[in-house]
Amino acid sequence: MPIVKYPRARDPLYYEWDRKAQKCGLRHTVYAVYGDQYTGEWLNNLKHGKGTQIWKSTGAIYSGDWKFGKQDGYGSYSIPDPVTKEYRKVYTGWWKNGKKTGQGVSFYPNGERYEGEWSNGMRSGWGRMYYQAGSSYEGQWEVDQPNGQGMLLLPNGNRYEGGWKDGKKHGPGRYFYMDKGQLLEGTWAEDVAKCGVLVDFERDKAPAPPQYPIPEIELDDPAGVLAEAKALLDDSDN
């Protein structure tokens, strides 16, 4: 009986093409169909490890750690200046699942800067913000706003220490008027002092104190006043 040889079975060619297309390990620049480009490490066809991504639509660049296709770890994000076209750093710090999370520094177009903690892409935790006008805030943040306890320092040296809510002074606090040598201690609600006590504070060091100091309230006979008040209360009970 003659021996018949059959050709060896082979997988379709597209199986081989698909295997070669799978990205794993270090690769040179890979271009997406919409123009974005990535240079770095891959795992199972996802950006994973160290790498640099450039977005065609904005020109933005992220360089740092990746995990399963998203920014995760330490990295920096920069965008080109619309006029000079030079790259300006926007954020450098820690990321998780594609969003700023952990310690990081953010640089704003008007020169302002935030240094501190982030959560889910927003300022949350403890941080320090430097504002364009020269003031600064250091304290607790939540959902991108000062919330909790913090201190606002103004360019003239005046400062507020106390509670904050949704970016406004709220709750017990103290306002130091260093230019006048006075201290207001009281309670705030939505940035407005509702009640408090104003006293002189380091008046001799103030550059522009008021003409007259705040008079102190003194009781001639505190013990006698208290005794009289107690007697009135006792009479009202009877």
Side-chain angles (χ1 to χ4, degrees):
M1 184 174 181
I3 299 175
V4 179
K5 293 184 178 181
Y6 295 96
R8 186 176 59 184
R10 299 185 60 181
D11 293 330
L13 285 177
Y14 67 83
Y15 279 18
E16 179 67 12
W17 296 338
D18 185 64
R19 185 186 65 79
K20 291 182 178 180
Q22 294 299 310
K23 295 177 284 293
C24 192
L26 181 62
R27 286 291 186 99
H28 293 296
T29 303
V30 175
Y31 295 87
V33 293
Y34 34 82
D36 296 349
Q37 58 187 70
Y38 172 81
T39 305
E41 297 176 299
W42 298 78
L43 178 65
N44 296 332
N45 224 30
L46 294 173
K47 306 178 188 82
H48 192 90
K50 300 288 185 181
T52 300
Q53 167 94 10
I54 303 177
W55 286 267
K56 182 180 179 180
S57 59
T58 61
I61 294 179
Y62 170 81
S63 182
D65 297 324
W66 296 79
K67 187 175 182 181
F68 302 123
K70 294 183 178 181
Q71 298 101 312
D72 202 297
Y74 190 85
S76 61
Y77 181 82
S78 304
I79 61 174
D81 186 274
V83 178
T84 64
K85 305 303 180 183
E86 295 182 358
Y87 275 90
R88 177 180 62 82
K89 189 173 291 185
V90 175
Y91 174 81
T92 181
W94 292 92
W95 302 71
K96 186 175 180 63
N97 199 29
K99 295 183 178 180
K100 293 172 278 192
T101 302
Q103 289 287 336
V105 182
S106 188
F107 304 89
Y108 299 89
N110 57 3
E112 295 181 348
R113 184 174 82 255
Y114 172 81
E115 302 174 353
E117 296 177 298
W118 297 77
S119 178
N120 202 31
M122 293 185 288
R123 293 168 290 185
S124 293
W126 189 269
R128 184 186 294 112
M129 183 76 186
Y130 297 93
Y131 297 99
Q132 183 181 20
S135 58
S136 63
Y137 169 83
E138 181 177 3
Q140 294 174 304
W141 294 75
E142 185 179 352
V143 195
D144 232 23
Q145 295 282 356
N147 274 284
Q149 294 295 309
M151 180 185 72
L152 175 67
L153 178 63
L154 301 178
N156 62 0
N158 293 350
R159 71 180 187 272
Y160 168 81
E161 300 175 356
W164 293 80
K165 183 179 180 182
D166 298 331
K168 296 180 180 180
K169 306 178 196 69
H170 196 90
R174 299 186 299 171
Y175 199 107
F176 294 84
Y177 296 92
M178 304 305 294
D179 56 339
K180 298 179 180 180
Q182 294 178 335
L183 165 63
L184 174 61
E185 188 167 2
T187 302
W188 274 255
E190 295 186 345
D191 250 0
V192 178
K194 295 298 184 179
C195 62
V197 177
L198 184 66
V199 298
D200 285 328
F201 177 80
E202 296 185 354
R203 176 183 170 85
D204 56 331
K205 300 179 182 178
Q211 184 177 359
Y212 302 104
I214 298 175
E216 295 183 3
I217 300 176
E218 297 182 358
L219 295 175
D220 295 335
D221 186 9
V225 172
L226 291 175
E228 184 177 352
K230 184 176 184 301
L232 291 173
L233 290 173
D234 292 340
D235 291 340
S236 63
D237 291 340
N238 297 328

